[in-house]
mmCIF file of all heavy atoms in Angstrom:
data_model
loop_
_atom_site.group_PDB
_atom_site.id
_atom_site.type_symbol
_atom_site.label_atom_id
_atom_site.label_comp_id
_atom_site.label_asym_id
_atom_site.label_seq_id
_atom_site.Cartn_x
_atom_site.Cartn_y
_atom_site.Cartn_z
ATOM 1 N N ASP A 56 -7.508 0.368 -2.687
ATOM 2 C CA ASP A 56 -7.718 -0.853 -3.467
ATOM 3 C C ASP A 56 -8.270 -1.962 -2.578
ATOM 4 O O ASP A 56 -7.814 -2.138 -1.441
ATOM 5 C CB ASP A 56 -6.405 -1.335 -4.079
ATOM 6 C CG ASP A 56 -5.953 -0.494 -5.253
ATOM 7 O OD1 ASP A 56 -6.746 0.331 -5.738
ATOM 8 O OD2 ASP A 56 -4.786 -0.670 -5.681
ATOM 9 N N ALA A 57 -9.211 -2.709 -3.103
ATOM 10 C CA ALA A 57 -9.700 -3.908 -2.425
ATOM 11 C C ALA A 57 -8.952 -5.119 -2.982
ATOM 12 O O ALA A 57 -8.433 -5.074 -4.103
ATOM 13 C CB ALA A 57 -11.202 -4.063 -2.650
ATOM 14 N N PRO A 58 -8.892 -6.236 -2.237
ATOM 15 C CA PRO A 58 -8.238 -7.446 -2.761
ATOM 16 C C PRO A 58 -8.781 -7.877 -4.123
ATOM 17 O O PRO A 58 -8.055 -8.408 -4.960
ATOM 18 C CB PRO A 58 -8.535 -8.490 -1.683
ATOM 19 C CG PRO A 58 -8.654 -7.688 -0.416
ATOM 20 C CD PRO A 58 -9.321 -6.405 -0.831
ATOM 21 N N LEU A 59 -10.075 -7.590 -4.378
ATOM 22 C CA LEU A 59 -10.714 -7.955 -5.630
ATOM 23 C C LEU A 59 -10.091 -7.271 -6.845
ATOM 24 O O LEU A 59 -10.259 -7.727 -7.984
ATOM 25 C CB LEU A 59 -12.210 -7.585 -5.542
ATOM 26 C CG LEU A 59 -13.122 -7.921 -6.721
ATOM 27 C CD1 LEU A 59 -13.139 -9.424 -6.995
ATOM 28 C CD2 LEU A 59 -14.533 -7.408 -6.457
ATOM 29 N N HIS A 60 -9.345 -6.210 -6.625
ATOM 30 C CA HIS A 60 -8.773 -5.440 -7.727
ATOM 31 C C HIS A 60 -7.887 -6.296 -8.635
ATOM 32 O O HIS A 60 -7.903 -6.142 -9.865
ATOM 33 C CB HIS A 60 -7.976 -4.266 -7.157
ATOM 34 C CG HIS A 60 -7.523 -3.268 -8.166
ATOM 35 N ND1 HIS A 60 -8.197 -2.997 -9.335
ATOM 36 C CD2 HIS A 60 -6.423 -2.451 -8.186
ATOM 37 C CE1 HIS A 60 -7.564 -2.067 -10.016
ATOM 38 N NE2 HIS A 60 -6.479 -1.731 -9.355
ATOM 39 N N PHE A 61 -7.118 -7.217 -8.053
ATOM 40 C CA PHE A 61 -6.216 -8.036 -8.856
ATOM 41 C C PHE A 61 -6.409 -9.537 -8.667
ATOM 42 O O PHE A 61 -5.648 -10.325 -9.228
ATOM 43 C CB PHE A 61 -4.756 -7.658 -8.555
ATOM 44 C CG PHE A 61 -4.284 -6.466 -9.343
ATOM 45 C CD1 PHE A 61 -4.466 -5.184 -8.860
ATOM 46 C CD2 PHE A 61 -3.684 -6.620 -10.582
ATOM 47 C CE1 PHE A 61 -4.050 -4.074 -9.591
ATOM 48 C CE2 PHE A 61 -3.261 -5.525 -11.319
ATOM 49 C CZ PHE A 61 -3.447 -4.245 -10.828
ATOM 50 N N THR A 62 -7.438 -9.941 -7.902
ATOM 51 C CA THR A 62 -7.683 -11.364 -7.680
ATOM 52 C C THR A 62 -9.169 -11.663 -7.815
ATOM 53 O O THR A 62 -9.987 -11.082 -7.078
ATOM 54 C CB THR A 62 -7.192 -11.797 -6.279
ATOM 55 O OG1 THR A 62 -5.795 -11.517 -6.157
ATOM 56 C CG2 THR A 62 -7.423 -13.279 -6.061
ATOM 57 N N ALA A 63 -9.506 -12.545 -8.738
ATOM 58 C CA ALA A 63 -10.909 -12.911 -8.926
ATOM 59 C C ALA A 63 -11.471 -13.545 -7.656
ATOM 60 O O ALA A 63 -10.797 -14.321 -6.972
ATOM 61 C CB ALA A 63 -11.029 -13.886 -10.093
ATOM 62 N N ASN A 64 -12.702 -13.171 -7.333
ATOM 63 C CA ASN A 64 -13.438 -13.729 -6.194
ATOM 64 C C ASN A 64 -12.831 -13.376 -4.834
ATOM 65 O O ASN A 64 -13.175 -13.987 -3.819
ATOM 66 C CB ASN A 64 -13.553 -15.260 -6.304
ATOM 67 C CG ASN A 64 -14.225 -15.688 -7.601
ATOM 68 O OD1 ASN A 64 -15.233 -15.122 -7.998
ATOM 69 N ND2 ASN A 64 -13.648 -16.677 -8.275
ATOM 70 N N ALA A 65 -11.927 -12.388 -4.807
ATOM 71 C CA ALA A 65 -11.388 -11.926 -3.525
ATOM 72 C C ALA A 65 -12.355 -10.910 -2.910
ATOM 73 O O ALA A 65 -13.413 -10.605 -3.473
ATOM 74 C CB ALA A 65 -10.010 -11.317 -3.727
ATOM 75 N N GLY A 66 -12.002 -10.369 -1.763
ATOM 76 C CA GLY A 66 -12.885 -9.457 -1.047
ATOM 77 C C GLY A 66 -13.079 -8.133 -1.764
ATOM 78 O O GLY A 66 -12.145 -7.585 -2.361
ATOM 79 N N ASP A 67 -14.316 -7.611 -1.698
ATOM 80 C CA ASP A 67 -14.601 -6.313 -2.298
ATOM 81 C C ASP A 67 -14.310 -5.198 -1.294
ATOM 82 O O ASP A 67 -13.745 -5.434 -0.223
ATOM 83 C CB ASP A 67 -16.044 -6.253 -2.815
ATOM 84 C CG ASP A 67 -17.090 -6.317 -1.700
ATOM 85 O OD1 ASP A 67 -16.720 -6.254 -0.501
ATOM 86 O OD2 ASP A 67 -18.285 -6.423 -2.025
ATOM 87 N N SER A 68 -14.704 -3.979 -1.651
ATOM 88 C CA SER A 68 -14.350 -2.842 -0.796
ATOM 89 C C SER A 68 -15.024 -2.890 0.568
ATOM 90 O O SER A 68 -14.563 -2.239 1.502
ATOM 91 C CB SER A 68 -14.697 -1.525 -1.498
ATOM 92 O OG SER A 68 -16.094 -1.363 -1.618
ATOM 93 N N THR A 69 -16.089 -3.668 0.713
ATOM 94 C CA THR A 69 -16.751 -3.767 2.018
ATOM 95 C C THR A 69 -15.954 -4.623 2.999
ATOM 96 O O THR A 69 -16.262 -4.632 4.187
ATOM 97 C CB THR A 69 -18.172 -4.343 1.876
ATOM 98 O OG1 THR A 69 -18.096 -5.737 1.521
ATOM 99 C CG2 THR A 69 -18.976 -3.596 0.835
ATOM 100 N N THR A 70 -14.955 -5.354 2.491
ATOM 101 C CA THR A 70 -14.170 -6.246 3.364
ATOM 102 C C THR A 70 -12.850 -5.633 3.813
ATOM 103 O O THR A 70 -12.098 -6.263 4.551
ATOM 104 C CB THR A 70 -13.859 -7.573 2.631
ATOM 105 O OG1 THR A 70 -12.924 -7.332 1.555
ATOM 106 C CG2 THR A 70 -15.125 -8.195 2.054
ATOM 107 N N ILE A 71 -12.541 -4.423 3.365
ATOM 108 C CA ILE A 71 -11.278 -3.785 3.734
ATOM 109 C C ILE A 71 -11.186 -3.612 5.245
ATOM 110 O O ILE A 71 -12.139 -3.159 5.884
ATOM 111 C CB ILE A 71 -11.138 -2.416 3.024
ATOM 112 C CG1 ILE A 71 -11.025 -2.613 1.504
ATOM 113 C CG2 ILE A 71 -9.932 -1.650 3.548
ATOM 114 C CD1 ILE A 71 -11.128 -1.330 0.715
ATOM 115 N N ASP A 72 -10.071 -3.973 5.821
ATOM 116 C CA ASP A 72 -9.859 -3.891 7.272
ATOM 117 C C ASP A 72 -9.567 -2.444 7.663
ATOM 118 O O ASP A 72 -8.451 -1.952 7.498
ATOM 119 C CB ASP A 72 -8.692 -4.802 7.674
ATOM 120 C CG ASP A 72 -8.478 -4.870 9.179
ATOM 121 O OD1 ASP A 72 -9.156 -4.117 9.916
ATOM 122 O OD2 ASP A 72 -7.632 -5.675 9.610
ATOM 123 N N LEU A 73 -10.579 -1.761 8.193
ATOM 124 C CA LEU A 73 -10.430 -0.346 8.525
ATOM 125 C C LEU A 73 -9.403 -0.104 9.618
ATOM 126 O O LEU A 73 -8.816 0.986 9.691
ATOM 127 C CB LEU A 73 -11.782 0.238 8.938
ATOM 128 C CG LEU A 73 -12.882 0.227 7.869
ATOM 129 C CD1 LEU A 73 -14.136 0.901 8.405
ATOM 130 C CD2 LEU A 73 -12.418 0.898 6.589
ATOM 131 N N SER A 74 -9.152 -1.083 10.471
ATOM 132 C CA SER A 74 -8.162 -0.894 11.535
ATOM 133 C C SER A 74 -6.774 -0.653 10.967
ATOM 134 O O SER A 74 -5.923 -0.028 11.615
ATOM 135 C CB SER A 74 -8.149 -2.105 12.477
ATOM 136 O OG SER A 74 -7.606 -3.247 11.826
ATOM 137 N N ARG A 75 -6.538 -1.121 9.759
ATOM 138 C CA ARG A 75 -5.240 -0.912 9.113
ATOM 139 C C ARG A 75 -5.133 0.463 8.484
ATOM 140 O O ARG A 75 -4.047 0.883 8.081
ATOM 141 C CB ARG A 75 -5.006 -1.996 8.060
ATOM 142 C CG ARG A 75 -4.912 -3.378 8.696
ATOM 143 C CD ARG A 75 -4.631 -4.487 7.721
ATOM 144 N NE ARG A 75 -4.362 -5.711 8.473
ATOM 145 C CZ ARG A 75 -3.295 -6.489 8.309
ATOM 146 N NH1 ARG A 75 -2.386 -6.169 7.417
ATOM 147 N NH2 ARG A 75 -3.125 -7.562 9.043
ATOM 148 N N LEU A 76 -6.258 1.169 8.418
ATOM 149 C CA LEU A 76 -6.299 2.488 7.798
ATOM 150 C C LEU A 76 -6.432 3.613 8.820
ATOM 151 O O LEU A 76 -6.588 4.769 8.442
ATOM 152 C CB LEU A 76 -7.466 2.549 6.812
ATOM 153 C CG LEU A 76 -7.339 1.623 5.602
ATOM 154 C CD1 LEU A 76 -8.661 1.570 4.840
ATOM 155 C CD2 LEU A 76 -6.219 2.082 4.683
ATOM 156 N N MET A 77 -6.369 3.275 10.088
ATOM 157 C CA MET A 77 -6.487 4.263 11.163
ATOM 158 C C MET A 77 -5.407 4.012 12.202
ATOM 159 O O MET A 77 -5.218 2.879 12.634
ATOM 160 C CB MET A 77 -7.869 4.190 11.816
ATOM 161 C CG MET A 77 -9.015 4.504 10.860
ATOM 162 S SD MET A 77 -10.631 4.549 11.692
ATOM 163 C CE MET A 77 -10.870 2.789 11.997
ATOM 164 N N GLY A 78 -4.691 5.076 12.571
ATOM 165 C CA GLY A 78 -3.643 4.942 13.570
ATOM 166 C C GLY A 78 -2.379 5.653 13.137
ATOM 167 O O GLY A 78 -2.382 6.426 12.173
ATOM 168 N N PRO A 79 -1.285 5.409 13.838
ATOM 169 C CA PRO A 79 -0.020 6.081 13.497
ATOM 170 C C PRO A 79 0.415 5.760 12.068
ATOM 171 O O PRO A 79 0.281 4.626 11.603
ATOM 172 C CB PRO A 79 0.969 5.503 14.518
ATOM 173 C CG PRO A 79 0.119 5.002 15.635
ATOM 174 C CD PRO A 79 -1.149 4.541 15.017
ATOM 175 N N ALA A 80 0.921 6.773 11.378
ATOM 176 C CA ALA A 80 1.423 6.605 10.008
ATOM 177 C C ALA A 80 2.630 7.509 9.819
ATOM 178 O O ALA A 80 2.754 8.538 10.478
ATOM 179 C CB ALA A 80 0.341 6.937 8.986
ATOM 180 N N ARG A 81 3.508 7.106 8.908
ATOM 181 C CA ARG A 81 4.702 7.893 8.643
ATOM 182 C C ARG A 81 4.745 8.314 7.175
ATOM 183 O O ARG A 81 4.586 7.479 6.279
ATOM 184 C CB ARG A 81 5.952 7.076 8.973
ATOM 185 C CG ARG A 81 7.229 7.891 8.863
ATOM 186 C CD ARG A 81 8.514 7.154 9.237
ATOM 187 N NE ARG A 81 8.393 5.771 9.622
ATOM 188 C CZ ARG A 81 9.424 4.915 9.629
ATOM 189 N NH1 ARG A 81 10.629 5.329 9.276
ATOM 190 N NH2 ARG A 81 9.257 3.661 9.989
ATOM 191 N N VAL A 82 4.925 9.608 6.948
ATOM 192 C CA VAL A 82 5.128 10.110 5.592
ATOM 193 C C VAL A 82 6.629 10.105 5.320
ATOM 194 O O VAL A 82 7.409 10.710 6.069
ATOM 195 C CB VAL A 82 4.545 11.526 5.420
ATOM 196 C CG1 VAL A 82 4.893 12.080 4.043
ATOM 197 C CG2 VAL A 82 3.041 11.505 5.630
ATOM 198 N N VAL A 83 7.026 9.416 4.273
ATOM 199 C CA VAL A 83 8.434 9.239 3.931
ATOM 200 C C VAL A 83 8.729 9.937 2.602
ATOM 201 O O VAL A 83 8.034 9.706 1.602
ATOM 202 C CB VAL A 83 8.789 7.744 3.815
ATOM 203 C CG1 VAL A 83 10.243 7.567 3.377
ATOM 204 C CG2 VAL A 83 8.531 7.025 5.135
ATOM 205 N N ALA A 84 9.735 10.789 2.586
ATOM 206 C CA ALA A 84 10.142 11.469 1.359
ATOM 207 C C ALA A 84 11.028 10.549 0.532
ATOM 208 O O ALA A 84 12.028 10.018 1.031
ATOM 209 C CB ALA A 84 10.881 12.756 1.686
ATOM 210 N N ILE A 85 10.655 10.343 -0.715
ATOM 211 C CA ILE A 85 11.430 9.516 -1.648
ATOM 212 C C ILE A 85 12.205 10.440 -2.584
ATOM 213 O O ILE A 85 11.621 11.307 -3.241
ATOM 214 C CB ILE A 85 10.503 8.587 -2.457
ATOM 215 C CG1 ILE A 85 9.778 7.602 -1.519
ATOM 216 C CG2 ILE A 85 11.280 7.846 -3.541
ATOM 217 C CD1 ILE A 85 10.706 6.661 -0.756
ATOM 218 N N THR A 86 13.514 10.253 -2.650
ATOM 219 C CA THR A 86 14.348 11.130 -3.473
ATOM 220 C C THR A 86 14.593 10.583 -4.879
ATOM 221 O O THR A 86 14.877 11.349 -5.795
ATOM 222 C CB THR A 86 15.700 11.387 -2.794
ATOM 223 O OG1 THR A 86 16.373 10.125 -2.596
ATOM 224 C CG2 THR A 86 15.499 12.055 -1.437
ATOM 225 N N ASP A 87 14.500 9.261 -5.026
ATOM 226 C CA ASP A 87 14.704 8.656 -6.340
ATOM 227 C C ASP A 87 13.592 9.130 -7.276
ATOM 228 O O ASP A 87 12.414 8.945 -6.982
ATOM 229 C CB ASP A 87 14.673 7.137 -6.219
ATOM 230 C CG ASP A 87 15.109 6.420 -7.481
ATOM 231 O OD1 ASP A 87 14.802 6.922 -8.595
ATOM 232 O OD2 ASP A 87 15.734 5.349 -7.390
ATOM 233 N N PRO A 88 13.913 9.742 -8.407
ATOM 234 C CA PRO A 88 12.874 10.256 -9.303
ATOM 235 C C PRO A 88 12.201 9.184 -10.147
ATOM 236 O O PRO A 88 11.205 9.457 -10.820
ATOM 237 C CB PRO A 88 13.645 11.229 -10.204
ATOM 238 C CG PRO A 88 15.023 10.650 -10.259
ATOM 239 C CD PRO A 88 15.266 10.074 -8.896
ATOM 240 N N ARG A 89 12.717 7.960 -10.100
ATOM 241 C CA ARG A 89 12.204 6.897 -10.970
ATOM 242 C C ARG A 89 11.322 5.886 -10.256
ATOM 243 O O ARG A 89 10.333 5.408 -10.822
ATOM 244 C CB ARG A 89 13.372 6.163 -11.637
ATOM 245 C CG ARG A 89 14.212 7.052 -12.542
ATOM 246 C CD ARG A 89 15.440 6.323 -13.050
ATOM 247 N NE ARG A 89 16.281 5.832 -11.944
ATOM 248 C CZ ARG A 89 17.151 6.586 -11.286
ATOM 249 N NH1 ARG A 89 17.296 7.856 -11.599
ATOM 250 N NH2 ARG A 89 17.881 6.077 -10.308
ATOM 251 N N SER A 90 11.672 5.521 -9.029
ATOM 252 C CA SER A 90 10.909 4.478 -8.340
ATOM 253 C C SER A 90 11.111 4.560 -6.834
ATOM 254 O O SER A 90 12.040 5.214 -6.343
ATOM 255 C CB SER A 90 11.335 3.089 -8.837
ATOM 256 O OG SER A 90 12.654 2.779 -8.382
ATOM 257 N N ILE A 91 10.216 3.898 -6.113
ATOM 258 C CA ILE A 91 10.382 3.701 -4.670
ATOM 259 C C ILE A 91 11.139 2.381 -4.549
ATOM 260 O O ILE A 91 10.564 1.300 -4.667
ATOM 261 C CB ILE A 91 9.021 3.636 -3.963
ATOM 262 C CG1 ILE A 91 8.218 4.909 -4.257
ATOM 263 C CG2 ILE A 91 9.208 3.464 -2.453
ATOM 264 C CD1 ILE A 91 6.750 4.820 -3.830
ATOM 265 N N SER A 92 12.432 2.482 -4.376
ATOM 266 C CA SER A 92 13.308 1.317 -4.516
ATOM 267 C C SER A 92 13.620 0.665 -3.177
ATOM 268 O O SER A 92 13.514 1.274 -2.106
ATOM 269 C CB SER A 92 14.625 1.745 -5.182
ATOM 270 O OG SER A 92 15.357 2.592 -4.301
ATOM 271 N N LEU A 93 14.035 -0.586 -3.258
ATOM 272 C CA LEU A 93 14.473 -1.313 -2.079
ATOM 273 C C LEU A 93 15.644 -0.598 -1.418
ATOM 274 O O LEU A 93 15.701 -0.479 -0.185
ATOM 275 C CB LEU A 93 14.857 -2.739 -2.459
ATOM 276 C CG LEU A 93 15.386 -3.622 -1.329
ATOM 277 C CD1 LEU A 93 14.343 -3.803 -0.233
ATOM 278 C CD2 LEU A 93 15.830 -4.979 -1.885
ATOM 279 N N ALA A 94 16.574 -0.094 -2.213
ATOM 280 C CA ALA A 94 17.756 0.584 -1.667
ATOM 281 C C ALA A 94 17.368 1.787 -0.824
ATOM 282 O O ALA A 94 18.017 2.077 0.186
ATOM 283 C CB ALA A 94 18.678 1.004 -2.806
ATOM 284 N N GLU A 95 16.293 2.491 -1.210
ATOM 285 C CA GLU A 95 15.925 3.691 -0.473
ATOM 286 C C GLU A 95 15.118 3.387 0.788
ATOM 287 O O GLU A 95 15.201 4.125 1.769
ATOM 288 C CB GLU A 95 15.142 4.653 -1.367
ATOM 289 C CG GLU A 95 14.934 6.010 -0.723
ATOM 290 C CD GLU A 95 14.686 7.119 -1.720
ATOM 291 O OE1 GLU A 95 14.522 6.834 -2.921
ATOM 292 O OE2 GLU A 95 14.663 8.289 -1.297
ATOM 293 N N ILE A 96 14.362 2.293 0.786
ATOM 294 C CA ILE A 96 13.538 2.016 1.972
ATOM 295 C C ILE A 96 14.223 1.079 2.967
ATOM 296 O O ILE A 96 13.831 1.035 4.134
ATOM 297 C CB ILE A 96 12.151 1.455 1.591
ATOM 298 C CG1 ILE A 96 12.273 0.077 0.958
ATOM 299 C CG2 ILE A 96 11.406 2.422 0.686
ATOM 300 C CD1 ILE A 96 10.927 -0.593 0.766
ATOM 301 N N GLN A 97 15.260 0.371 2.532
ATOM 302 C CA GLN A 97 15.946 -0.536 3.452
ATOM 303 C C GLN A 97 16.498 0.171 4.699
ATOM 304 O O GLN A 97 16.447 -0.388 5.802
ATOM 305 C CB GLN A 97 17.061 -1.284 2.730
ATOM 306 C CG GLN A 97 16.614 -2.597 2.123
ATOM 307 C CD GLN A 97 17.751 -3.368 1.494
ATOM 308 O OE1 GLN A 97 18.688 -2.791 0.924
ATOM 309 N NE2 GLN A 97 17.683 -4.689 1.576
#
């Protein structure tokens, strides 16, 4: 998603910060079948 997706006149897909999309990442298993909740990620 680009910022423009939910905000008028915000940045389009050409403005996405690629540095935030490259590097270490963690895959987290969510057990709650309904939502990714605060209780589970805290």
